[in-house]
Amino acid sequence: MIDLHNHTPLCHHAVGEPEEYLARARTLGLREYGFSEHSPWMLQYDGEQIAPTDAEFDQYLDRMQALRERHDGTDGPVLRIGIEMDFRPEHAARARAMAAAFPFDHHIGSVHNLGDWIFDHPDRLHEWAGRDVGQVYREYFAAIRAMLDWNLIDIVGHLDLPKKFGHLPPEGIESFVEELLPDLVAAGVAVEINTAGRDKPVGEFYPGPAVVARLARAGVPFTLGSDAHKPSEVGRHIGDALELLRGCGVREVMTFSQRQRVGVRI
Ligand code: ZN
Ligand code: FE
Ligand code: FE
Ligand code: ZN
C-alpha cells in the first residue's frame, strides 16, 4: 500500500518514465508512492555513469515538481518526492546543502560502497573473494552508524545490503543489528523493508524476517520500498512485507511529508 523507494532513468541504471512508474502504482492501488533518486555524489564505477550528474539531478527535481502539479488532485496515490542519499563521509557538505535546497519529503540513507569498492555492484562481485565476510559487515555497519551521525536521514535504506549475493557473516546479521540498535533508536529513523532483496541471490528482504522481528520488538518504525528500477517492479512483494510486519505485531508503517513522519495503519 505504500512504496517510497523508486528510481528514474536519470540514474542511468533504471528504465521507464516516471509517469509509467506512477501509473503502475495507481493500478496497484497504492496509497502513497515515492520517488527516491540516487544522489549525484554516488560513487561511480570505472567511468561508468551509475548516478545522476548534478545537472540530471536538477532535472529530476524539475520533473518531480511538474509531475506533482499534474498529479495532485487526481485520484491515485499521494506522490512523495525523496532522495536516496549515498553515505560518503567526504560528501557531507554536499548532502547538507542538497537537503537545505530542496524540500524533500524523505531522505533515504544508503551505504553502497566501502572505500572505493561498490560491494553491491555485480561487476565488483569478484572482489568478495578472499575477504573476511565478518570484517566486511563490521565496516559496513560502522558506516551505517556514521551515517546516522550525519543526522540527515529519515529512513535507513536496505539495512543489510552486503548479503545481496548471499555472503552472510558467521556471527549472523542479527548480532550486528543488535549492536546498532541503541544508535538506531536514538536517531529516531525508520527502517525500510526493501523488497528488492527477494529478487536477488540472497532471496529475502533487506532486512530479513529475524531482523525485522528484533527491530519491531525495539519499537523501530518501518517503511516500505520496492527499490524499483523499472515500472514492473513497483510495489513488488509489498503484500508479503505487510504480512511479515503484521506477524511481528507492527500496526503502522511510516510515510513522510516534508520530512515529518506520518503513520499509516496496516
Ligand atoms: Zn539504483
Ligand atoms: Fe541503494
Ligand atoms: Fe534505490
Ligand atoms: Zn537502493
Side-chain angles (χ1 to χ4, degrees):
M1 53 132 87
I2 75 166
D3 181 355
L4 297 187
H5 189 156
N6 293 270
H7 291 277
T8 80
L10 290 163
C11 71
H12 300 265
H13 62 273
V15 293
E17 295 307 311
E19 290 77 6
E20 297 173 68
Y21 287 72
L22 184 55
R24 177 80 184 135
R26 184 193 299 256
T27 301
L28 292 172
L30 296 186
R31 184 161 153 183
E32 303 221 5
Y33 184 71
F35 288 96
S36 304
E37 191 51 284
H38 290 291
S39 51
W41 57 87
M42 189 180 190
L43 184 60
Q44 306 296 309
Y45 171 57
D46 255 3
E48 179 197 1
Q49 186 76 32
I50 58 164
T53 62
D54 283 305
E56 285 163 344
F57 199 85
D58 286 344
Q59 281 178 46
Y60 165 68
L61 296 175
D62 290 346
R63 285 199 65 168
M64 287 297 120
Q65 277 171 315
L67 187 60
R68 174 173 270 171
E69 275 162 36
R70 289 197 306 280
H71 175 78
D72 279 7
T74 68
D75 62 345
V78 175
L79 178 62
R80 303 294 185 194
I81 304 173
I83 178 172
E84 182 175 11
M85 286 191 168
D86 238 84
F87 176 66
R88 295 185 68 200
E90 63 275 36
H91 291 286
R94 279 177 88 183
R96 240 168 257 291
M98 178 76 87
F102 189 85
F104 292 104
D105 287 314
H106 56 267
H107 300 165
I108 297 176
S110 294
V111 175
H112 298 106
N113 66 286
L114 296 171
D116 67 356
W117 179 36
I118 309 173
F119 59 83
D120 73 323
H121 196 301
D123 295 351
R124 306 289 295 265
L125 179 53
H126 62 278
E127 291 183 42
W128 277 91
R131 286 198 197 237
D132 175 340
V133 173
Q135 181 59 25
V136 172
Y137 277 79
R138 272 189 290 284
E139 287 174 27
Y140 173 82
F141 277 98
I144 294 282
R145 184 173 281 117
M147 178 171 78
L148 296 176
D149 287 342
W150 255 14
N151 209 11
L152 262 185
I153 68 155
D154 308 303
I155 300 165
V156 179
H158 37 63
L159 177 64
D160 53 3
L161 182 61
K163 73 181 179 183
K164 178 174 181 177
F165 302 113
H167 304 90
L168 300 173
E171 54 270 69
I173 292 173
E174 297 93 289
S175 71
F176 291 97
V177 172
E178 194 63 44
E179 217 180 309
L180 180 70
L181 208 44
D183 291 349
L184 212 47
V185 171
V189 296
V191 168
E192 70 173 0
I193 309 277
N194 184 310
T195 59
R198 171 77 62 92
D199 299 330
K200 306 297 185 209
V202 69
E204 63 171 35
F205 298 150
Y206 309 111
V211 169
V212 171
R214 180 65 187 100
L215 296 175
R217 273 208 312 283
V220 172
F222 289 97
T223 185
L224 298 165
S226 66
D227 216 340
H229 285 71
K230 50 185 171 193
S232 62
E233 291 173 346
V234 169
R236 58 175 149 180
H237 314 306
I238 291 287
D240 286 353
L242 283 170
E243 279 314 300
L244 170 62
L245 287 171
R246 289 192 191 109
C248 294
V250 176
R251 298 291 170 77
E252 60 176 7
V253 289
M254 298 301 165
T255 179
F256 296 82
S257 174
Q258 294 198 14
R259 308 198 58 207
Q260 297 303 307
R261 203 192 275 170
V262 184
V264 177
R265 302 278 305 172
I266 62 171

